[in-house]
Amino acid sequence: MNAVVFAYHNVGVRCLKTLLARGVQVQLVVTHPDSPTETLWFDRVADVAAEAGIPVVYVDDAVDAALIDRVAALSPDFLFSFYFRRMLPARLLAAAKTAALNMHGSLLPKYRGRVPVNWAVLHGETETGATLHLMEAKPDAGDIVAQQAVPILPDDTAKEVFDKLTVAAEIALWNVLPQLMRGEVPRRRNDLSVGSYFGGRKPEDGRIDWNQSAQSVYNLIRAVAPPYPGAFFDHLGRRFIVARARIASPSLRARIADKSTVGLHIAEGQLLARTGDGGALHIIELWDADQPGIPLNDLQISELATQQS
């Protein structure tokens, strides 16, 4: 079985390694160059390919005609896309003799589109997973070939869920590869009528509105917690990032029961945030956005809470 692989990020690394472990002959790997503006907290597909002696092509923007011609000349049995950040054109998909397959980070048909893990956490889901599906011109719309679910625990951040999803993708691919290598492509309908689609997220989408419920604010904090850009609020011309938080316990919440204003409060040395539904969050780690990764000390936190009150 021969394959051309378009891949990036940790899912790309683990799925490429899974193909190689199953004995798939990977003829070419296409990946993205590292962006100097992005925090690179993930592994590099190019390193795995280089170690295995596989030719690598870097693509920043759309796939061009020359690359499509190169892939078509290889006449691969399969074309795989593992967290590649560009849609693959129909002419490229047609180069696969058996099937062109994509690994998506949700349990399709739910959370089609961009950054599905972050959206699932933001919406308070208790489960997500990885789906291997046939690629079509429409994103994440092809028949489902394999799926693997993982739980989302109440305090999981998007990074923790993404780590689980990476393993789920590996398991889903590992389990279905024997069939694929026999030329068999199991498939079931991807019913878009019962699914959902979400677009990309911008850093500004991480702005905290303390007037929302405690659970809604907490889900936002978890969904964009570092290494993602982080949930933030502005105060007196400065921006602060809530790096870690928890829903306040009843005993902690009782300490600010007499506070009517939403936002930050200090109670017995703990930084709490009153929310619009009368709930509270326990802010465990707070950063100045100009010094990310460095938690504010007790004096800085006390001054901030005093200024806001």
Side-chain angles (χ1 to χ4, degrees):
M1 172 177 163
N2 298 323
V4 171
V5 175
F6 290 73
Y8 194 62
H9 220 291
N10 289 345
V11 170
V13 166
R14 295 308 306 177
C15 287
L16 175 57
K17 287 185 174 182
T18 300
L19 293 180
L20 297 176
R22 281 293 197 190
V24 176
Q25 300 301 307
V26 179
Q27 302 159 293
L28 179 70
V29 166
V30 183
T31 189
H32 301 296
D34 296 333
S35 170
T37 63
E38 184 174 3
T39 301
L40 299 179
W41 52 269
F42 44 84
D43 296 329
R44 300 179 73 251
V45 168
D47 293 340
V48 178
E51 186 175 336
I54 303 169
V56 176
V57 172
Y58 290 95
V59 170
D60 198 7
D61 296 317
V63 175
D64 62 21
L67 179 56
I68 295 174
D69 290 341
R70 180 174 177 179
V71 172
L74 292 172
S75 189
D77 297 311
F78 284 85
L79 189 152
F80 290 101
S81 176
F82 303 132
Y83 262 65
F84 194 72
R85 291 178 168 178
R86 298 287 182 268
M87 289 287 293
L88 303 185
R91 181 169 166 247
L92 179 59
L93 303 183
K97 292 188 294 184
T98 302
L101 304 174
N102 175 61
M103 186 68 75
H104 183 70
S106 77
L107 295 177
L108 291 177
K110 296 182 67 175
Y111 294 100
R112 295 169 51 239
R114 304 290 299 277
V115 292
V117 170
N118 306 81
W119 283 115
V121 175
L122 181 68
H123 290 146
E125 299 285 356
T126 59
E127 183 182 64
T128 190
T131 301
L132 186 69
H133 67 93
L134 289 161
M135 278 189 279
E136 297 181 354
K138 191 173 183 177
D140 309 323
D143 285 351
I144 294 168
V145 173
Q147 281 188 324
Q148 179 65 45
V150 295
I152 301 177
L153 303 186
D155 294 322
D156 279 345
T157 66
K159 169 61 166 60
E160 290 169 326
V161 176
F162 188 87
D163 289 343
K164 297 181 195 181
L165 185 145
T166 301
V167 177
E170 178 179 334
I171 292 171
L173 181 62
W174 176 266
N175 287 340
V176 79
L177 267 175
Q179 287 177 270
L180 298 181
M181 295 177 77
R182 294 194 298 268
E184 303 168 5
V185 182
R187 52 199 296 173
R188 60 184 173 87
R189 183 176 173 231
N190 185 8
D191 187 357
L192 305 189
S193 68
V194 297
S196 53
Y197 181 91
F198 294 91
R201 291 184 59 82
K202 306 179 293 296
E204 180 63 24
D205 295 331
R207 182 181 294 277
I208 294 171
D209 178 1
W210 298 116
N211 290 297
Q212 293 186 339
S213 70
Q215 188 63 59
S216 294
V217 175
Y218 184 44
N219 288 346
L220 173 62
I221 292 168
R222 296 191 300 128
V224 296
Y228 297 103
F232 68 90
F233 62 92
D234 294 331
H235 180 62
L236 296 179
R238 296 171 64 191
R239 178 159 294 184
F240 298 90
I241 296 172
V242 181
R244 287 198 303 138
R246 288 287 187 272
I247 296 288
S249 65
S251 60
L252 276 178
R253 189 169 65 247
R255 297 179 185 179
I256 59 169
D258 61 333
K259 304 294 185 182
S260 60
T261 57
V262 300
L264 302 185
H265 301 278
I266 290 287
E268 299 180 23
Q270 301 293 334
L271 180 61
L272 304 177
R274 180 82 176 203
T275 54
D277 63 344
L281 296 179
H282 179 196
I283 309 301
I284 300 172
E285 188 172 327
L286 189 66
W287 300 349
D288 187 318
D290 291 333
Q291 295 182 301
I294 303 176
L296 269 63
N297 59 42
D298 292 344
L299 178 59
Q300 291 169 316
I301 288 172
S302 179
E303 290 175 348
L304 175 63
T306 300
Q307 291 169 350
Q308 181 156 315
S309 299

